[in-house]
Amino acid sequence: MKAKRAGALSLVLLSVLLIALPVGADDAPAAITEIRHEATATATRLVIACTGPVAYTYYSPDPLTLVVDLPEIDASKVAPRINVGTREVESLRVTTMARADGRQLARIEVRLASLVPYQIFSKERSLNLVFERSATAAAATAPAPAAGKLGETKPERKQSASVVESPLAPEPVDVDPKPLAAAAPAPGPVTTPPSRTAARATKITGVTPEVQNGQVAVTVQADGALKYQDFFLGNPDRLVVDFADVVSRAGIKSLDVNQGPVRKIRLAQFSVASPKVARLVLDLSSRSPYRVVEGKDGLKILFGEGQTPSPAPLAALRTEPALEPAQVPPPPPVPSGPSALPVPVLPEPQIPSKEQFEPASVGPAQKVYTGHPISLDFKDGDLQDIFRLFADISGLNVVVNPGVTGKVTLKLTQVPWDQALDIILKTNKLGKTLDDNVIRIAKLTDLQQEEEELRKLKENQALAGDLLTLRKSLSYAKASELEPTIKKVVLSPRGTITLDARTNTMIITDLPARLEDAKLLIAELDRGTPQVEIEARIVTTDRNFARQIGIQWGFLNQQTPEFGNTTSRSFPNSIILNGAGQTAGGLGTPSGRGYAVNLPAGGFNSALGLSLGNILGNFNLDAALTAQERQGRVRVLSTPKVTTQNNKEAEIKQGVQIPVISSTGLTVNVTFKDAFLLLKVTPQITDAGTVILDIDIQNNVPDFSRQVVTQLGASVPPINTQTAKTIVLVRDGATTVIGGVYQSRESTSRASTPLLGNVPILGYLFRNKSLETQNSELLVFITPRIVKS
């Protein structure tokens, strides 16, 4: 007995321990026990109580919608739709979802009533969401309702009162393609929507647009309360409202409105089979907040209400119909579950195109993302769930390859959704492909392998087939020159080329399609090439001028007994003063005469002499003026001319080879140096009829007047080199100057007697002067002419 009692007690204790284990310790997930709110004059607090620790992620698909995901949490014990009705929070929608791995996920969608900042934090076994009220709104707030459990039924209030008192958020700058916003009811008792109390509608009887107090209103008449699902589509902007279990009897298909943001209204029966769905599409000219007001005999869609937003990461709002999530078909762009409606066929596209999905490139390392901004905050979020989330955000279908697993932690605020997706993919070394409206996500290695296999498959398919042979004789091009081009551009790996040099024939073996391409390419390349005649004129001119002026003069004075004019002194008795030190006889020779200043012009060819003497002949004065002037002019014209084919180099040269003799030991070597006129040119004819010339001109002339003696005694002249190398564009038949060298040399020289040559005026008797100038000029002219056949 004691043993049985001990065993029973062990079982009880084991059961208690199993119940007390935290979430995740066994297969039983934690659950949400209640959701309550606490409203004060400054904030609204939502408390989500659970049976175990809470892990969460959250994001904002649009600025007035907050979605909080609680992994491995069961939400079946709380109501799927909870009305709050404060100035900050309008309502909650609670959904239990199944993740890709089969585990549960609780999703809480918070519909905000105004633009307010919020805080999210977990405390023990509860999750707290605090929505702070702006200072202006807090001052005007009535006493806050007592805290209570959400989802309680309050006394009914007329719907018109909440329509008048409800402020709308202004039009957002950019929102995600999720349902646009409508107004939130003002603080007060929570009303029971007419759709819960009135009879359900079976048909729509009419649709009427009107303008009320500056607001555009679209009224949908029916024979009862309408059950609806509204969502927003972009590109172009449209508001779509699906009415479940009704048929359209309005008698209209399209109606132009052109009032406010509404351009056009379309009504059609989307589904005739069960469940019957009537679809209302409102084409919008701009994104604008809206709200839906339900009634007992239809509903009304109001546009144009709003207020200045507070700076918070939130935007427009939508009034949600009080329907169970399972009762409303999900929006067509995000089909899920067996009751999901098929994607409708409308004139406008309902999903982002591939150009919109793929970011546009603006540079080597820049991308422009076009997705609507979203905010994400995940801590160890499961990749499978995150990719399903992007399916809801983008409106595209998402398929995840097997083996893509992992977790990610991130926090992004107002980031384009396509950029956020790229960031997550790059972080986890994943890639994506887009096929119509389906995104496939896989590992980069898998995608690369698929691309490689697909490329190989296409190559194998392209190489499949029988080989044929093509024989083609060439008329203008050389078969050997054309062979590399044909192989590189046209031939497949199975193709071969055989050349017959004697007949200039190509024998090509390849697939039929490649042979056809080869035939076309050969016909394009094997064409006659036009010819170009190039004429060059090299003009060399030399001009020189030289002028020299010189003077010679001298004197002889004698006082000797011969002439009887001595000094009558014993010393000096006789004097001979000779200003002609250059005489042959020298000083003291009576007959010696010469020049005291001997500065004649060099190599003069003109002179004027003067000799003076006294009657005795003992004093003589001789003077001579010499001069020379020389002028020369040389002009050399060289005109090489050559004709060549287009894009073919031509060369012509003329000149001499100068032998240069040298020795190495007992060996005598003779080498030849070229001194020639060279024209090397490659023409290229353009489509405009002009010619591009790649020119190399050299004019090398030996100078025999300045020969150099080598070690063996031979005289070798130096070579004067003149070179021009350039690329020019010239019209057909036109002449252009491609180069020119001008040299000018001027020299002046003077010889004089020291000191006396610098005396003004008188100094001309003691100096000579020479002037020499030399000018040389080289001009190169080029003229291309296209030879017309």
Side-chain angles (χ1 to χ4, degrees):
M1 290 296 292
K2 292 182 180 180
K4 290 183 179 180
R5 289 179 181 177
L9 182 57
S10 300
L11 290 175
V12 171
L13 292 176
L14 181 60
S15 301
V16 172
L17 288 175
L18 291 175
I19 293 174
L21 284 176
V23 177
D26 50 26
D27 295 333
I32 299 176
T33 57
E34 65 173 349
I35 300 177
R36 63 180 182 272
H37 79 279
E38 301 172 358
T40 67
T42 59
T44 297
R45 179 191 297 269
L46 300 180
V47 180
I48 304 172
C50 301
T51 60
V54 180
Y56 66 93
T57 61
Y58 69 93
Y59 68 96
S60 296
D62 63 71
L64 279 182
T65 303
L66 176 63
V67 178
V68 182
D69 288 340
L70 307 178
E72 301 183 15
I73 296 293
D74 182 14
S76 60
K77 296 181 181 180
V78 296
R81 167 70 187 217
I82 302 173
N83 290 327
V84 179
T86 66
R87 285 186 177 270
E88 292 76 39
V89 180
E90 179 215 1
S91 61
L92 304 178
R93 185 164 64 180
V94 184
T95 308
T96 300
M97 306 175 65
R99 301 203 308 184
D101 55 5
R103 292 179 293 177
Q104 289 183 335
L105 173 73
R107 173 165 293 178
I108 301 173
E109 186 174 349
V110 183
R111 302 294 187 182
L112 302 179
S114 60
L115 293 168
V116 294
Y118 57 84
Q119 298 179 7
I120 303 177
F121 59 92
S122 60
K123 184 178 181 181
E124 297 179 353
R125 297 189 178 187
S126 64
L127 181 66
N128 294 262
L129 292 82
V130 180
F131 301 88
E132 300 176 359
R133 186 173 306 174
S134 64
T136 303
T141 303
K149 186 180 296 187
L150 295 182
E152 297 177 357
T153 303
K154 302 294 180 89
E156 185 173 354
R157 185 180 181 184
K158 290 185 179 180
Q159 185 69 23
S160 60
S162 78
V163 172
V164 175
E165 298 173 9
S166 298
L168 273 181
E171 177 183 350
V173 176
D174 197 8
V175 296
D176 194 70
K178 300 288 280 183
L180 264 184
V190 179
T191 61
T192 301
S195 57
R196 287 182 177 266
T197 58
R200 293 291 185 184
T202 59
K203 60 182 178 180
I204 295 175
T205 58
V207 178
T208 305
E210 57 183 341
V211 179
Q212 300 177 351
N213 299 326
Q215 303 177 26
V216 178
V218 178
T219 303
V220 181
Q221 295 91 12
D223 59 353
L226 290 170
K227 180 172 62 174
Y228 72 94
Q229 174 77 9
D230 58 312
F231 54 93
F232 179 75
L233 296 177
N235 300 316
D237 294 334
R238 287 155 293 158
L239 174 62
V240 180
V241 185
D242 284 342
F243 302 99
D245 301 328
V246 296
V247 295
S248 174
R249 294 289 186 265
I252 64 169
K253 292 186 177 179
S254 178
L255 182 62
D256 291 330
V257 178
N258 297 322
Q259 294 289 338
V262 182
R263 294 189 298 105
K264 190 176 182 179
I265 296 175
R266 291 175 287 150
L267 179 65
Q269 189 67 35
F270 179 69
S271 175
V272 180
S274 181
K276 299 175 181 179
V277 177
R279 169 159 291 179
L280 177 67
V281 179
L282 286 78
D283 296 332
L284 305 178
S285 59
S286 62
R287 297 176 180 177
S288 178
Y290 69 93
R291 66 188 178 97
V292 180
V293 180
E294 298 180 72
K296 296 181 179 180
D297 55 354
L299 54 80
K300 182 177 293 187
I301 305 172
L302 295 175
F303 293 88
E305 294 181 336
Q307 65 181 11
T308 303
S310 301
L314 304 172
L317 164 70
R318 168 181 79 174
T319 299
E320 188 70 33
L323 298 177
E324 300 294 335
Q327 295 175 318
V328 182
V334 194
S336 61
S339 62
L341 296 177
V343 177
V345 180
L346 294 176
E348 298 84 355
Q350 298 186 10
I351 57 175
S353 63
K354 187 171 184 178
E355 290 76 11
Q356 295 165 330
F357 176 73
E358 295 291 345
S361 295
V362 297
Q366 275 188 313
K367 290 182 179 179
V368 174
Y369 293 94
T370 59
H372 299 288
I374 61 172
S375 298
L376 300 174
D377 190 345
F378 294 103
K379 181 179 180 182
D380 294 333
D382 188 88
L383 283 177
Q384 301 275 355
D385 297 333
I386 294 175
F387 292 143
R388 293 184 63 182
L389 169 64
F390 276 100
D392 297 336
I393 294 173
S394 65
L396 298 171
N397 299 312
V398 176
V399 177
V400 181
N401 269 24
V404 176
T405 58
K407 295 183 179 298
V408 64
T409 299
L410 58 87
K411 183 173 183 179
L412 302 174
T413 302
Q414 293 298 296
V415 176
W417 67 263
D418 46 355
Q419 183 181 8
L421 179 59
D422 276 356
I423 292 173
I424 294 174
L425 294 177
K426 291 178 182 179
T427 303
N428 293 273
K429 297 182 179 180
L430 301 175
K432 66 177 183 297
T433 61
L434 179 64
D435 186 8
D436 290 335
N437 65 333
V438 179
I439 301 176
R440 187 168 68 90
I441 297 175
K443 295 180 179 178
L444 288 176
T445 54
D446 294 343
L447 293 177
Q448 292 172 356
Q449 183 177 358
E450 289 177 5
E451 290 291 337
E452 183 67 20
E453 292 175 353
L454 182 61
R455 184 183 62 80
K456 290 181 179 179
L457 177 60
K458 290 182 178 179
E459 290 179 354
N460 294 334
Q461 291 175 347
L463 294 177
D466 298 331
L467 300 179
L468 299 180
T469 301
L470 170 67
R471 289 175 292 275
K472 185 66 176 178
S473 297
L474 307 183
S475 301
Y476 302 98
K478 291 290 185 181
S480 57
E481 296 178 355
L482 207 58
E483 179 187 10
T485 303
I486 301 298
K487 281 185 176 181
K488 185 176 181 180
V489 177
V490 176
L491 258 62
S492 70
R494 297 179 62 188
T496 58
I497 296 180
T498 303
L499 303 180
D500 182 15
R502 184 180 62 85
T503 59
N504 199 30
T505 301
M506 301 181 72
I507 303 172
I508 306 174
T509 302
D510 209 336
L511 299 169
R514 298 299 182 96
L515 290 181
E516 188 64 27
D517 294 340
K519 185 176 180 180
L520 295 175
L521 183 58
I522 292 174
E524 181 69 20
L525 299 179
D526 186 29
R527 294 188 299 178
T529 303
Q531 299 185 117
V532 181
E533 178 189 77
I534 300 101
E535 179 182 356
R537 291 190 294 277
I538 305 173
V539 182
T540 304
T541 62
D542 288 305
R543 295 187 300 274
N544 58 76
F545 174 80
R547 174 182 293 169
Q548 292 183 349
I549 299 175
I551 190 169
Q552 294 173 293
W553 64 268
F555 65 92
L556 177 63
N557 182 30
Q558 303 181 56
Q559 290 180 302
T560 60
E562 180 182 354
F563 294 98
N565 58 350
T566 61
T567 61
S568 300
R569 298 177 182 179
S570 59
F571 182 84
N573 182 260
S574 63
I575 299 174
I576 298 177
L577 184 62
N578 192 348
Q582 293 83 8
T583 58
L587 296 175
T589 303
S591 60
R593 299 177 61 180
Y595 298 109
V597 177
N598 187 21
L599 297 173
F604 61 90
N605 51 21
S606 300
L608 178 64
L610 178 65
S611 295
L612 300 175
N614 61 4
I615 191 169
L616 295 177
N618 66 333
F619 182 79
N620 297 286
L621 177 63
D622 297 325
L625 181 66
T626 59
Q628 177 186 359
E629 185 173 294
R630 184 180 68 254
Q631 184 175 356
R633 188 183 295 266
V634 179
R635 182 175 180 270
V636 179
L637 175 63
S638 303
T639 309
K641 183 186 296 184
V642 66
T643 300
T644 183
Q645 287 188 341
N646 186 30
N647 292 315
K648 294 292 185 179
E649 184 182 77
E651 179 179 322
I652 185 172
K653 62 182 178 180
Q654 179 188 12
V656 297
Q657 288 187 327
I658 300 172
V660 178
I661 303 175
S662 61
S663 64
T664 304
L666 298 177
T667 303
V668 178
N669 301 318
V670 179
T671 58
F672 291 88
K673 299 296 182 180
D674 292 330
F676 49 72
L677 172 66
L678 169 68
L679 171 62
K680 186 185 296 183
V681 61
T682 303
Q684 178 182 343
I685 301 174
T686 67
D687 293 337
T690 57
V691 183
I692 299 174
L693 300 174
D694 188 349
I695 305 169
D696 184 5
I697 295 180
Q698 298 181 23
N699 188 23
N700 303 323
V701 181
D703 188 357
F704 291 99
S705 64
R706 295 182 297 166
Q707 298 191 49
V708 178
V709 179
T710 63
Q711 60 181 354
L712 296 180
S715 298
V716 179
I719 299 176
N720 297 328
T721 301
Q722 296 169 332
T723 302
K725 187 173 184 180
T726 184
I727 299 176
V728 294
L729 175 65
V730 189
R731 290 185 293 108
D732 179 23
T735 301
T736 185
V737 179
I738 66 170
V741 178
Y742 179 80
Q743 288 182 327
S744 178
R745 180 176 176 270
E746 181 176 343
S747 63
T748 302
S749 63
R750 190 183 75 168
S752 64
T753 300
L755 299 178
L756 296 178
N758 297 325
V759 177
I761 301 177
L762 189 62
Y764 287 107
L765 298 175
F766 299 93
R767 65 174 180 257
N768 71 355
K769 183 179 181 181
S770 65
L771 172 66
E772 183 176 358
T773 62
Q774 187 174 13
N775 298 320
S776 63
E777 187 174 4
L778 170 67
L779 294 175
V780 181
F781 301 86
I782 197 78
T783 303
R785 297 182 181 90
I786 300 176
V787 179
K788 306 295 194 297
S789 58

mmCIF file of all heavy atoms in Angstrom, residues 54-81:
data_model
loop_
_atom_site.group_PDB
_atom_site.id
_atom_site.type_symbol
_atom_site.label_atom_id
_atom_site.label_comp_id
_atom_site.label_asym_id
_atom_site.label_seq_id
_atom_site.Cartn_x
_atom_site.Cartn_y
_atom_site.Cartn_z
ATOM 1 N N VAL A 54 6.674 35.549 -23.099
ATOM 2 C CA VAL A 54 6.216 36.072 -24.385
ATOM 3 C C VAL A 54 7.430 36.544 -25.193
ATOM 4 O O VAL A 54 8.203 37.375 -24.723
ATOM 5 C CB VAL A 54 5.223 37.240 -24.184
ATOM 6 C CG1 VAL A 54 4.751 37.764 -25.538
ATOM 7 C CG2 VAL A 54 4.043 36.785 -23.340
ATOM 8 N N ALA A 55 7.569 35.997 -26.416
ATOM 9 C CA ALA A 55 8.498 36.533 -27.412
ATOM 10 C C ALA A 55 7.655 37.155 -28.523
ATOM 11 O O ALA A 55 6.578 36.642 -28.840
ATOM 12 C CB ALA A 55 9.391 35.437 -27.973
ATOM 13 N N TYR A 56 8.120 38.233 -29.102
ATOM 14 C CA TYR A 56 7.267 38.938 -30.049
ATOM 15 C C TYR A 56 8.107 39.604 -31.133
ATOM 16 O O TYR A 56 9.290 39.865 -30.971
ATOM 17 C CB TYR A 56 6.434 40.009 -29.350
ATOM 18 C CG TYR A 56 7.255 41.149 -28.784
ATOM 19 C CD1 TYR A 56 7.484 42.305 -29.524
ATOM 20 C CD2 TYR A 56 7.829 41.053 -27.506
ATOM 21 C CE1 TYR A 56 8.258 43.339 -29.009
ATOM 22 C CE2 TYR A 56 8.606 42.080 -26.991
ATOM 23 C CZ TYR A 56 8.813 43.219 -27.744
ATOM 24 O OH TYR A 56 9.586 44.241 -27.245
ATOM 25 N N THR A 57 7.451 39.843 -32.257
ATOM 26 C CA THR A 57 7.950 40.709 -33.325
ATOM 27 C C THR A 57 6.806 41.604 -33.758
ATOM 28 O O THR A 57 5.635 41.245 -33.596
ATOM 29 C CB THR A 57 8.450 39.895 -34.530
ATOM 30 O OG1 THR A 57 7.367 39.128 -35.060
ATOM 31 C CG2 THR A 57 9.571 38.953 -34.138
ATOM 32 N N TYR A 58 7.155 42.774 -34.303
ATOM 33 C CA TYR A 58 6.090 43.664 -34.752
ATOM 34 C C TYR A 58 6.555 44.463 -35.961
ATOM 35 O O TYR A 58 7.746 44.616 -36.210
ATOM 36 C CB TYR A 58 5.666 44.624 -33.637
ATOM 37 C CG TYR A 58 6.687 45.662 -33.252
ATOM 38 C CD1 TYR A 58 6.684 46.927 -33.843
ATOM 39 C CD2 TYR A 58 7.659 45.381 -32.294
ATOM 40 C CE1 TYR A 58 7.628 47.883 -33.491
ATOM 41 C CE2 TYR A 58 8.603 46.336 -31.939
ATOM 42 C CZ TYR A 58 8.581 47.583 -32.540
ATOM 43 O OH TYR A 58 9.510 48.525 -32.192
ATOM 44 N N TYR A 59 5.594 44.933 -36.735
ATOM 45 C CA TYR A 59 5.875 45.762 -37.898
ATOM 46 C C TYR A 59 4.640 46.596 -38.191
ATOM 47 O O TYR A 59 3.559 46.353 -37.643
ATOM 48 C CB TYR A 59 6.258 44.901 -39.114
ATOM 49 C CG TYR A 59 5.135 44.060 -39.662
ATOM 50 C CD1 TYR A 59 4.366 44.503 -40.741
ATOM 51 C CD2 TYR A 59 4.834 42.812 -39.113
ATOM 52 C CE1 TYR A 59 3.337 43.738 -41.244
ATOM 53 C CE2 TYR A 59 3.805 42.055 -39.607
ATOM 54 C CZ TYR A 59 3.057 42.512 -40.680
ATOM 55 O OH TYR A 59 2.034 41.757 -41.182
ATOM 56 N N SER A 60 4.821 47.590 -39.096
ATOM 57 C CA SER A 60 3.726 48.488 -39.464
ATOM 58 C C SER A 60 3.510 48.406 -40.963
ATOM 59 O O SER A 60 4.272 49.011 -41.730
ATOM 60 C CB SER A 60 4.054 49.936 -39.064
ATOM 61 O OG SER A 60 4.167 50.052 -37.672
ATOM 62 N N PRO A 61 2.540 47.676 -41.449
ATOM 63 C CA PRO A 61 2.272 47.634 -42.893
ATOM 64 C C PRO A 61 1.792 48.969 -43.431
ATOM 65 O O PRO A 61 2.006 49.283 -44.582
ATOM 66 C CB PRO A 61 1.211 46.546 -43.029
ATOM 67 C CG PRO A 61 0.552 46.485 -41.696
ATOM 68 C CD PRO A 61 1.599 46.831 -40.688
ATOM 69 N N ASP A 62 1.090 49.752 -42.611
ATOM 70 C CA ASP A 62 0.774 51.131 -42.944
ATOM 71 C C ASP A 62 0.801 51.918 -41.638
ATOM 72 O O ASP A 62 0.729 51.345 -40.556
ATOM 73 C CB ASP A 62 -0.582 51.245 -43.664
ATOM 74 C CG ASP A 62 -1.742 50.784 -42.807
ATOM 75 O OD1 ASP A 62 -2.080 51.484 -41.843
ATOM 76 O OD2 ASP A 62 -2.314 49.712 -43.098
ATOM 77 N N PRO A 63 0.945 53.250 -41.723
ATOM 78 C CA PRO A 63 1.234 54.009 -40.504
ATOM 79 C C PRO A 63 0.171 53.963 -39.423
ATOM 80 O O PRO A 63 0.468 54.287 -38.285
ATOM 81 C CB PRO A 63 1.436 55.427 -41.018
ATOM 82 C CG PRO A 63 1.903 55.245 -42.417
ATOM 83 C CD PRO A 63 1.153 54.069 -42.918
ATOM 84 N N LEU A 64 -1.047 53.571 -39.715
ATOM 85 C CA LEU A 64 -2.060 53.468 -38.672
ATOM 86 C C LEU A 64 -2.473 52.022 -38.428
ATOM 87 O O LEU A 64 -3.600 51.762 -38.014
ATOM 88 C CB LEU A 64 -3.285 54.320 -39.026
ATOM 89 C CG LEU A 64 -3.145 55.810 -38.712
ATOM 90 C CD1 LEU A 64 -4.407 56.548 -39.051
ATOM 91 C CD2 LEU A 64 -2.798 56.034 -37.257
ATOM 92 N N THR A 65 -1.564 51.099 -38.735
ATOM 93 C CA THR A 65 -1.787 49.691 -38.438
ATOM 94 C C THR A 65 -0.530 49.137 -37.799
ATOM 95 O O THR A 65 0.567 49.336 -38.314
ATOM 96 C CB THR A 65 -2.127 48.902 -39.701
ATOM 97 O OG1 THR A 65 -3.282 49.481 -40.315
ATOM 98 C CG2 THR A 65 -2.409 47.443 -39.374
ATOM 99 N N LEU A 66 -0.693 48.454 -36.697
ATOM 100 C CA LEU A 66 0.427 47.823 -35.995
ATOM 101 C C LEU A 66 0.119 46.338 -35.875
ATOM 102 O O LEU A 66 -0.938 45.958 -35.368
ATOM 103 C CB LEU A 66 0.621 48.450 -34.608
ATOM 104 C CG LEU A 66 1.698 47.804 -33.725
ATOM 105 C CD1 LEU A 66 3.069 47.942 -34.361
ATOM 106 C CD2 LEU A 66 1.694 48.436 -32.334
ATOM 107 N N VAL A 67 1.044 45.504 -36.373
ATOM 108 C CA VAL A 67 0.877 44.049 -36.332
ATOM 109 C C VAL A 67 1.924 43.476 -35.392
ATOM 110 O O VAL A 67 3.124 43.734 -35.550
ATOM 111 C CB VAL A 67 1.013 43.433 -37.734
ATOM 112 C CG1 VAL A 67 0.876 41.914 -37.658
ATOM 113 C CG2 VAL A 67 -0.040 44.004 -38.668
ATOM 114 N N VAL A 68 1.468 42.709 -34.413
ATOM 115 C CA VAL A 68 2.358 42.082 -33.435
ATOM 116 C C VAL A 68 2.195 40.573 -33.567
ATOM 117 O O VAL A 68 1.068 40.054 -33.473
ATOM 118 C CB VAL A 68 2.030 42.532 -32.000
ATOM 119 C CG1 VAL A 68 2.998 41.892 -31.016
ATOM 120 C CG2 VAL A 68 2.094 44.045 -31.892
ATOM 121 N N ASP A 69 3.299 39.849 -33.810
ATOM 122 C CA ASP A 69 3.291 38.397 -33.923
ATOM 123 C C ASP A 69 3.892 37.781 -32.669
ATOM 124 O O ASP A 69 4.980 38.186 -32.224
ATOM 125 C CB ASP A 69 4.085 37.954 -35.154
ATOM 126 C CG ASP A 69 3.349 38.268 -36.445
ATOM 127 O OD1 ASP A 69 2.120 38.453 -36.382
ATOM 128 O OD2 ASP A 69 4.005 38.334 -37.502
ATOM 129 N N LEU A 70 3.176 36.783 -32.117
ATOM 130 C CA LEU A 70 3.649 36.061 -30.931
ATOM 131 C C LEU A 70 3.864 34.612 -31.330
ATOM 132 O O LEU A 70 2.905 33.855 -31.492
ATOM 133 C CB LEU A 70 2.612 36.162 -29.799
ATOM 134 C CG LEU A 70 2.139 37.576 -29.424
ATOM 135 C CD1 LEU A 70 1.092 37.518 -28.324
ATOM 136 C CD2 LEU A 70 3.305 38.431 -28.978
ATOM 137 N N PRO A 71 5.100 34.184 -31.572
ATOM 138 C CA PRO A 71 5.342 32.806 -31.998
ATOM 139 C C PRO A 71 5.025 31.813 -30.868
ATOM 140 O O PRO A 71 5.245 32.085 -29.691
ATOM 141 C CB PRO A 71 6.828 32.808 -32.363
ATOM 142 C CG PRO A 71 7.411 33.938 -31.596
ATOM 143 C CD PRO A 71 6.350 34.958 -31.470
ATOM 144 N N GLU A 72 4.482 30.662 -31.286
ATOM 145 C CA GLU A 72 4.174 29.556 -30.386
ATOM 146 C C GLU A 72 3.212 29.989 -29.281
ATOM 147 O O GLU A 72 3.362 29.606 -28.127
ATOM 148 C CB GLU A 72 5.462 28.975 -29.802
ATOM 149 C CG GLU A 72 6.437 28.452 -30.852
ATOM 150 C CD GLU A 72 7.660 27.818 -30.243
ATOM 151 O OE1 GLU A 72 7.630 27.530 -29.036
ATOM 152 O OE2 GLU A 72 8.645 27.610 -30.960
ATOM 153 N N ILE A 73 2.242 30.806 -29.659
ATOM 154 C CA ILE A 73 1.204 31.268 -28.738
ATOM 155 C C ILE A 73 -0.158 30.928 -29.344
ATOM 156 O O ILE A 73 -0.390 31.166 -30.535
ATOM 157 C CB ILE A 73 1.305 32.785 -28.489
ATOM 158 C CG1 ILE A 73 2.639 33.132 -27.792
ATOM 159 C CG2 ILE A 73 0.143 33.281 -27.638
ATOM 160 C CD1 ILE A 73 2.759 32.609 -26.390
ATOM 161 N N ASP A 74 -1.052 30.382 -28.512
ATOM 162 C CA ASP A 74 -2.407 30.046 -28.941
ATOM 163 C C ASP A 74 -3.330 31.204 -28.562
ATOM 164 O O ASP A 74 -3.375 31.631 -27.408
ATOM 165 C CB ASP A 74 -2.856 28.746 -28.261
ATOM 166 C CG ASP A 74 -4.249 28.329 -28.714
ATOM 167 O OD1 ASP A 74 -4.733 28.891 -29.717
ATOM 168 O OD2 ASP A 74 -4.847 27.458 -28.059
ATOM 169 N N ALA A 75 -4.069 31.709 -29.562
ATOM 170 C CA ALA A 75 -4.966 32.837 -29.324
ATOM 171 C C ALA A 75 -6.434 32.446 -29.447
ATOM 172 O O ALA A 75 -7.296 33.319 -29.593
ATOM 173 C CB ALA A 75 -4.646 33.960 -30.301
ATOM 174 N N SER A 76 -6.744 31.165 -29.384
ATOM 175 C CA SER A 76 -8.124 30.721 -29.585
ATOM 176 C C SER A 76 -9.035 31.033 -28.391
ATOM 177 O O SER A 76 -10.256 30.951 -28.506
ATOM 178 C CB SER A 76 -8.128 29.203 -29.852
ATOM 179 O OG SER A 76 -7.564 28.507 -28.740
ATOM 180 N N LYS A 77 -8.464 31.392 -27.233
ATOM 181 C CA LYS A 77 -9.297 31.629 -26.047
ATOM 182 C C LYS A 77 -9.826 33.057 -25.953
ATOM 183 O O LYS A 77 -10.580 33.371 -25.051
ATOM 184 C CB LYS A 77 -8.486 31.302 -24.782
ATOM 185 C CG LYS A 77 -8.098 29.832 -24.673
ATOM 186 C CD LYS A 77 -7.330 29.566 -23.385
ATOM 187 C CE LYS A 77 -6.917 28.100 -23.283
ATOM 188 N NZ LYS A 77 -6.167 27.822 -22.033
ATOM 189 N N VAL A 78 -9.382 33.950 -26.846
ATOM 190 C CA VAL A 78 -9.873 35.330 -26.825
ATOM 191 C C VAL A 78 -10.665 35.583 -28.098
ATOM 192 O O VAL A 78 -10.549 34.843 -29.085
ATOM 193 C CB VAL A 78 -8.705 36.331 -26.707
ATOM 194 C CG1 VAL A 78 -7.987 36.158 -25.389
ATOM 195 C CG2 VAL A 78 -7.712 36.152 -27.862
ATOM 196 N N ALA A 79 -11.479 36.615 -28.059
ATOM 197 C CA ALA A 79 -12.346 36.939 -29.181
ATOM 198 C C ALA A 79 -11.506 37.368 -30.380
ATOM 199 O O ALA A 79 -10.505 38.062 -30.227
ATOM 200 C CB ALA A 79 -13.307 38.059 -28.799
ATOM 201 N N PRO A 80 -11.891 36.974 -31.599
ATOM 202 C CA PRO A 80 -11.112 37.362 -32.778
ATOM 203 C C PRO A 80 -11.222 38.841 -33.112
ATOM 204 O O PRO A 80 -10.369 39.387 -33.783
ATOM 205 C CB PRO A 80 -11.694 36.500 -33.896
ATOM 206 C CG PRO A 80 -13.072 36.170 -33.444
ATOM 207 C CD PRO A 80 -13.025 36.074 -31.947
ATOM 208 N N ARG A 81 -12.306 39.504 -32.642
ATOM 209 C CA ARG A 81 -12.472 40.926 -32.922
ATOM 210 C C ARG A 81 -12.786 41.637 -31.608
ATOM 211 O O ARG A 81 -13.730 41.264 -30.894
ATOM 212 C CB ARG A 81 -13.612 41.126 -33.921
ATOM 213 C CG ARG A 81 -14.088 42.562 -34.072
ATOM 214 C CD ARG A 81 -13.071 43.405 -34.767
ATOM 215 N NE ARG A 81 -13.435 44.813 -34.791
ATOM 216 C CZ ARG A 81 -13.210 45.648 -35.783
ATOM 217 N NH1 ARG A 81 -12.631 45.167 -36.861
ATOM 218 N NH2 ARG A 81 -13.552 46.904 -35.718
#
